Amino acid sequence: MFYADSDKLDRLLDYLPELGSAAEQVVSRWEPGDVLLKAALERITHLALEAVTDIGGLLIDGFILRDPGSYSDMMDILLDEGVISTARHGYLTRLVGTRKMLVQDYLAADHLLLLELARGLPEELSGFIGNVRQFAERESGGAGL
């Protein structure tokens, strides 16, 4: 049964392409010493991981899936329930794994890691959107979001 907040889920899914586009812009302009680009990279990555985990939480709550113990566990549940592929799981697990660095250890942010993740963000977020919509359609008996 699908009890997720479908309006919020739609808004989050519609927001992800903006983050993908922003990531493309930062990557194309990247200069290692540019403080503004570093800050933009950190914020884009942070917003992307928060949106992905918010979407994961809505799906897990809405379809009464098992409770995650961590953000990484949330990605494991999405994999186990057939929402995402193994390859996407690997990327998203790496993405959500940067949360502590971005929120608590921001003075020691690994910009090379964030840049690597940002390069994949447009494609991965686009694929994630499709995965989530297909899952919601399948699980809601064709009613969709």
Side-chain angles (χ1 to χ4, degrees), residues 63-80:
F63 291 104
I64 313 171
L65 307 175
R66 71 181 192 269
D67 287 331
S70 66
Y71 290 127
S72 177
D73 188 39
M74 183 181 290
M75 297 304 108
D76 293 345
I77 293 169
L78 295 181
L79 174 66
D80 294 345

Side-chain angles (χ1 to χ4, degrees), residues 1-140:
M1 192 62 144
F2 185 53
Y3 295 109
D5 182 344
S6 60
D7 288 337
K8 183 173 183 181
L9 191 55
D10 271 334
R11 287 192 318 270
L12 285 165
L13 291 171
D14 289 345
Y15 178 58
L16 292 179
E18 292 178 34
L19 294 174
S21 177
E24 285 178 328
Q25 292 176 48
V26 168
V27 167
S28 71
R29 293 176 171 91
W30 185 252
E31 292 289 333
D34 190 317
V35 175
L36 186 58
L37 288 175
K38 284 181 178 180
L41 178 65
E42 292 169 14
R43 185 63 176 158
I44 291 163
T45 309
H46 184 204
L47 288 173
L49 77 87
E50 292 293 345
V52 165
T53 56
D54 285 349
I55 290 166
L58 287 170
L59 291 177
I60 289 167
D61 291 345
F63 291 104
I64 313 171
L65 307 175
R66 71 181 192 269
D67 287 331
S70 66
Y71 290 127
S72 177
D73 188 39
M74 183 181 290
M75 297 304 108
D76 293 345
I77 293 169
L78 295 181
L79 174 66
D80 294 345
E81 296 297 330
V83 180
I84 57 174
S85 67
T86 301
R88 181 143 302 121
H89 171 266
Y91 177 86
L92 293 177
T93 300
R94 287 182 65 218
L95 178 67
V96 301
T98 64
R99 188 174 192 282
K100 184 175 188 284
M101 172 182 57
L102 291 168
V103 174
Q104 296 175 358
D105 302 327
Y106 49 85
L107 294 176
D110 181 347
H111 292 98
L112 292 178
L113 170 61
L114 297 178
L115 188 62
E116 178 187 338
L117 289 167
R119 284 190 179 104
L121 212 50
E123 180 181 342
E124 292 294 340
L125 292 180
S126 177
F128 181 66
I129 293 165
N131 294 155
V132 169
R133 291 195 187 282
Q134 286 176 341
F135 177 80
E137 179 82 15
R138 184 175 64 243
E139 294 297 314
S140 63

